[in-house]
Amino acid sequence: TAEHHAEMLKDAGFEEVHHEVFKWPLNTWPKDPKMKELGLWSRENMLDCLEAWSIVPFTQFLGWSLEEVQVSQAKARASLKDTSIHAYWKM
């Protein structure tokens, strides 16, 4: 939702809103030390939140069993730790 933050702040009455979007890596693959550290924190945040973000949507809305969700989470954790995957997210 980063691309909508400035619009939401203006709609809330804020003036002189400056909007700048940053790309953060999702794991520690970058060579640049600052980006590597951002990737470390991004990965750890995702790993900590993965279960909370996925249990209800996958079980209640998609009809998956808890075991299916846990298998999917394990695959997602492995992908987040795989430094050959060069993924970003917008902040």
Side-chain angles (χ1 to χ4, degrees):
T1 63
E3 61 269 6
H4 302 292
H5 288 169
E7 179 184 328
M8 291 187 295
L9 289 168
K10 288 177 185 176
D11 289 346
F14 288 90
E15 299 175 4
E16 298 183 32
V17 175
H18 174 73
H19 183 238
E20 188 171 355
V21 177
F22 298 93
K23 287 172 44 176
W24 283 12
L26 287 177
N27 64 30
T28 58
W29 66 266
K31 291 180 182 177
D32 176 72
K34 180 180 178 183
M35 295 302 284
K36 187 178 281 293
E37 184 173 358
L38 284 173
L40 170 69
W41 289 106
S42 293
R43 182 191 68 202
E44 292 307 308
N45 183 51
M46 294 288 285
L47 291 172
D48 284 346
C49 298
L50 189 60
E51 184 174 348
W53 288 342
S54 59
I55 293 289
V56 170
F58 282 67
T59 58
Q60 292 186 11
F61 299 111
L62 296 178
W64 291 22
S65 70
L66 182 57
E67 292 78 21
E68 289 173 310
V69 177
Q70 290 170 334
V71 168
S72 179
Q73 289 171 349
K75 291 177 182 178
R77 284 187 194 94
S79 293
L80 284 166
K81 294 175 183 178
D82 183 352
T83 57
S84 71
I85 298 173
H86 295 185
Y88 285 98
W89 62 350
K90 294 181 180 180
M91 299 299 284

